[in-house]
Amino acid sequence: MALFINKPLTADRGCARDAVPPNRQNYQISVVGATEKRAESDVALPVGEGRCYTRGLKNGLEVVVVMRFADRLADIEPFRVVEVLTRAKALQQAGEDIVHMAAGEPDFTTAEPIVVAAQQALARGETQYSPAAGIPQLRQALSDYYRSDYGLDIDPQRIMITPGASGALMLLAGLLVNPGEGMLMTDPGYPCNRHFLRLVEGEGQLVPVGPEQRYQLDAQLAEQHWRPNTCGVMVASPANPSGEILNASQLRDLHTLCKQRNGHLVVDEIYHGLSFGEAAPSVLSITDEAFVINSFSKYFGMTGWRLGWLVAPEWAVPHLEKLAQNLFISMSTMGQYGALAAFASESRVILDARRDEFARRRDFLYPALRDLGFSIPHCPAGAFYLYAGIDRFAKDSQQFCLELLEEHGIAITPGADFGRYGAEKHVRFAYTTSMAQLEKAVDRLQRLYG
């Protein structure tokens, strides 16, 4: 990257004085990009060595700072939903009436018992580092949760508290993936999964899935796409962006395949608790050898608290703790004490009522969008999303989303955020806003497409 500063060079601009070519008047410089070099000069400038070059100008010196970035950044794409959210908020602040249907975040604030418990922890002075695996009380509470809600006996020593589900993903990437290896995952799917693997010099091996596979990766597909450098499979149930669920038989077959191939099975269960009808089964009911990622963000409504957890085989926990000690040191201590209250009966009544409200919103939005011509072959069984085809309206989902936002005040997410397969033909609607707002969005869409 080239940064041009029309001021004399000073040491506080991040460049050592001895890095400047001594005959600075002879340099004519034009450099663009971190991996591309264009020099209009008598001297070839090495892009990426972190040096500073200057040339004399009539009104002072022009400083060209050539910064080198790691190659992996070229493979880590921006999180487009964040860009949509930023623009939507800017329009709203400018006085526009925006219906927010882009964020994968419950619109409810954290349940009051959780907030009160965290406040009480602060008042007690619970502000020191916690153990890298989390406070023992929360690990035990999660073990009790698996017993009460799933009928499973999970040793609390196998449960690690993490800074969000993202922290769990980072730990598993560091634990399971060697440079050059990869894990199979769905396309479309949660975009950050493959980026965490790239961070450790691995790769997300994307498997195209569509409505005919209910946007899920089963054992047959995984076996077809298994490569010599594949080290495992990562799936989500319920899934983002589709809301589709893997049944117990599918999870069992994936475990069997991974065991036969000497690979690992990672299951993202962060939308558990947000199933509408029969509960999504946990892979922990099938095997102790799989890795489970979960979070306090979705069902528990604690997105900004940044707390998640990871259930791992017993052999893996010491290695995960070692990574956590180095990468995170600790999670929010007062946040963990707040999370203890999430399992109290008064909290569960609130959280279950919110789940029921999400179901009511789904039952309104799903038929309304289908009637307008959006393609949604199956009613999703969980999460809070509808992944919709837009063939009737547009061929470019990013442009479609931009026009809906800028011209009609509806913020949704383009399919490109979730992968490549069919991305230009799909968008994601999140029903993480009130019923009144959903009705307003449908009314605007009806005026456009009805």
Side-chain angles (χ1 to χ4, degrees):
M1 174 179 287
L3 173 64
F4 298 92
I5 308 171
N6 291 319
K7 293 182 180 179
L9 180 68
T10 57
D12 64 0
R13 294 196 177 276
C15 307
R17 289 181 182 274
D18 59 5
V20 180
N23 189 6
R24 59 181 66 179
Q25 298 296 326
N26 294 333
Y27 284 80
Q28 304 286 322
I29 299 169
S30 173
V31 182
V32 283
T35 57
E36 177 187 1
K37 179 178 69 181
R38 243 183 249 152
E40 300 166 0
S41 170
D42 296 328
V43 178
L45 300 175
V47 176
E49 293 190 6
R51 296 178 179 174
C52 299
Y53 301 89
T54 67
R55 66 171 179 172
L57 296 177
K58 182 178 291 186
N59 296 321
L61 294 174
E62 181 182 55
V63 180
V64 181
V65 183
V66 182
M67 295 179 289
R68 180 180 181 181
F69 300 114
D71 292 342
R72 68 176 66 89
L73 288 181
D75 299 323
I76 296 177
E77 300 173 15
F79 208 172
R80 291 175 181 84
V81 68
V82 175
E83 297 174 354
V84 173
L85 292 172
T86 301
R87 179 58 181 157
K89 289 178 181 178
L91 288 170
Q92 190 167 39
Q93 289 172 357
E96 298 293 331
D97 182 17
I98 305 298
V99 180
H100 295 275
M101 303 173 69
E105 175 177 36
D107 53 314
F108 306 108
T109 58
T110 300
E112 185 178 2
I114 300 171
V115 176
V116 170
Q119 291 170 335
Q120 292 172 345
L122 281 170
R124 291 194 308 270
E126 304 284 4
T127 58
Q128 306 298 312
Y129 289 137
S130 79
I135 60 173
Q137 301 95 311
L138 187 53
R139 298 170 78 185
Q140 181 62 56
L142 282 163
S143 177
D144 296 341
Y145 168 68
Y146 278 109
R147 185 175 296 107
S148 64
D149 282 48
Y150 295 86
L152 299 175
D153 185 14
I154 306 296
D155 187 340
Q157 296 302 310
R158 292 177 54 204
I159 300 170
M160 289 191 61
I161 312 303
T162 58
S166 296
L169 282 163
M170 182 178 290
L171 291 177
L172 290 182
L175 176 76
L176 303 178
V177 183
N178 284 312
E181 293 181 339
M183 298 195 83
L184 298 174
M185 56 187 64
T186 61
D187 180 1
Y190 181 59
C192 298
N193 290 344
R194 65 182 186 272
H195 296 155
F196 276 110
L197 300 192
R198 182 64 185 90
L199 196 63
V200 297
E201 304 302 320
E203 63 176 2
Q205 298 173 340
L206 302 184
V207 178
V209 292
E212 58 276 16
Q213 293 90 20
R214 301 188 81 97
Y215 296 104
Q216 284 287 8
L217 177 60
D218 61 17
Q220 183 178 359
L221 266 179
E223 187 166 25
Q224 291 171 5
H225 288 84
W226 201 284
R227 308 179 193 175
N229 67 331
T230 298
C231 67
V233 176
M234 184 182 295
V235 293
S237 177
N240 179 8
S242 67
E244 297 286 5
I245 288 175
L246 288 165
N247 61 40
S249 176
Q250 290 172 311
L251 290 169
R252 185 175 294 106
D253 290 345
L254 283 168
H255 164 61
T256 299
L257 173 67
C258 288
K259 193 170 183 178
Q260 291 172 344
R261 296 279 188 156
N262 196 29
H264 303 286
L265 177 58
V266 177
V267 183
D268 175 344
E269 297 185 353
I270 72 170
Y271 292 98
H272 271 225
L274 293 174
S275 300
F276 314 124
E278 187 175 349
S282 173
V283 72
L284 297 171
S285 66
I286 294 164
T287 176
D288 290 336
E289 297 174 5
F291 294 84
V292 165
I293 295 166
N294 212 319
S295 172
F296 286 96
S297 290
K298 308 302 182 179
Y299 168 73
F300 293 100
M302 298 175 64
T303 50
W305 301 64
R306 305 313 304 136
L307 283 177
W309 75 86
L310 168 63
V311 184
E314 185 177 355
W315 62 264
V317 173
H319 306 291
L320 290 166
E321 284 197 67
K322 177 174 67 174
L323 285 172
Q325 291 162 2
N326 283 274
L327 293 174
F328 313 130
I329 302 178
S330 169
M331 286 61 62
S332 164
T333 300
M334 64 289 297
Q336 292 180 73
Y337 280 101
L340 279 173
F343 303 102
S345 57
E346 58 181 340
S347 296
R348 296 299 300 274
V349 168
I350 296 169
L351 301 177
D352 285 349
R354 292 175 175 183
R355 178 200 59 212
D356 294 343
E357 174 60 17
F358 281 128
R360 191 169 76 94
R361 295 173 184 180
R362 178 204 63 170
D363 292 344
F364 163 75
L365 190 60
Y366 169 67
L369 292 179
R370 282 171 56 97
D371 288 346
L372 284 167
F374 290 91
S375 175
I376 314 172
H378 310 115
C379 185
F384 33 58
Y385 308 118
L386 292 169
Y387 195 56
I390 58 168
D391 299 71
R392 178 184 166 188
F393 313 112
K395 296 181 179 179
D396 182 339
S397 68
Q398 294 193 67
Q399 185 62 32
F400 179 77
C401 290
L402 179 64
E403 291 177 1
L404 271 188
L405 176 58
E406 299 286 346
E407 299 176 17
H408 307 287
I410 302 173
I412 58 175
T413 308
D417 221 12
F418 308 104
R420 302 176 181 88
Y421 182 64
E424 71 284 355
K425 300 178 181 179
H426 288 83
V427 297
R428 188 192 73 179
F429 290 86
Y431 41 95
T432 50
T433 190
S434 69
M435 184 66 80
Q437 288 294 98
L438 295 180
E439 290 171 349
K440 182 187 293 184
V442 168
D443 181 64
R444 292 178 183 179
L445 291 169
Q446 284 175 337
R447 278 182 261 155
L448 275 172
Y449 305 119

